[in-house]
Amino acid sequence: MKTVIICYSRHHGNTRKVVEAIAQGHDVTLIDAAAETEADLSVYDLIGFASGIYFGKFHESVLKFAQKNLPQGKNVFLLSTYGGGNGTKAIEETVKARGAQIVGRFGCKGYDTFGPFKLVGGIAKGHPDQTDLENARRFFDGLSVNC
Ligand SMILES: Cc1cc2nc3c(=O)[nH]c(=O)nc-3n(C[C@H](O)[C@H](O)[C@H](O)COP(=O)(O)O)c2cc1C
């Protein structure tokens, strides 16, 4: 299954760790949404959007990438890391507007030192951990079976 994952991961590289765990041993192309704004996604069977949660949403670069490049009617999965709580509403609306089908969602905690959290040494320290990465791999393997 030819898969592409469009990722934004800058705060601590948390989301990138999860994406790389998934990509290992699979036919997965990675696109950094901060570095690339255009790509032909029509050749992929499965498209993942991955991001840390920034102010309750996937990062703007991922939302814009999806708006611009997501072909109609694709199978899409969502992957996110967050300090406190997930926020997939905006990306879900964006991909559904492109007629895409969301075939899976994976989220886990990611080390967060934003704003006041820095003063207390951050929250969700140590995440994503080995269990998070294992869960992410299992999630992705499950997707491959279903698609
Ligand atoms: C500017 C900024 C805003 C954030 N906003 C949220 C938020 O609204 N909700 C939340 O749970 N975490 C928030 N976080 C924490 C990140 O989602 C979390 O650390 C995530 O794992 C970062 O992913 P990354 O290292 O892949 O960029 C924020 C972090 C930053 C730097």
Side-chain angles (χ1 to χ4, degrees):
M1 168 140 6
K2 216 169 145 53
T3 302
V4 62
I5 302 179
I6 298 94
C7 177
Y8 180 90
S9 179
R10 285 296 179 284
H11 187 37
H12 286 289
N14 298 327
T15 313
R16 181 101 199 165
K17 281 181 202 155
V18 178
V19 166
E20 282 175 356
I22 279 178
Q24 231 172 20
H26 292 101
D27 180 11
V28 175
T29 302
L30 299 184
I31 294 178
D32 181 348
E36 288 180 56
T37 56
E38 261 176 68
D40 178 9
L41 303 183
S42 63
V43 295
Y44 297 99
D45 308 307
L46 183 60
I47 298 170
F49 290 105
S51 177
I53 296 302
Y54 291 84
F55 306 110
K57 300 192 286 191
F58 272 42
H59 190 263
E60 213 50 45
S61 61
V62 177
L63 296 171
K64 284 197 178 130
F65 194 100
Q67 273 159 8
K68 190 169 184 187
N69 299 292
L70 181 59
Q72 287 288 327
K74 285 286 186 181
N75 283 334
V76 165
F77 69 93
L78 306 177
L79 193 156
S80 48
T81 67
Y82 44 83
N86 211 346
T88 60
K89 190 168 178 266
I91 186 73
E92 295 211 13
E93 284 173 2
T94 303
V95 303
K96 282 176 185 164
R98 309 289 300 174
Q101 190 197 346
I102 299 177
V103 295
R105 299 165 182 81
F106 179 84
C108 69
K109 297 265 179 175
Y111 182 42
D112 179 8
T113 54
F114 178 57
F117 295 131
K118 193 171 183 177
L119 302 173
V120 294
I123 58 170
K125 214 168 183 170
H127 289 277
D129 61 13
Q130 283 310 314
T131 305
D132 296 323
L133 301 183
E134 262 310 305
N135 288 340
R137 278 189 214 107
R138 215 169 297 128
F139 159 79
F140 186 70
D141 289 341
L143 278 186
S144 308
V145 170
N146 292 333
C147 289

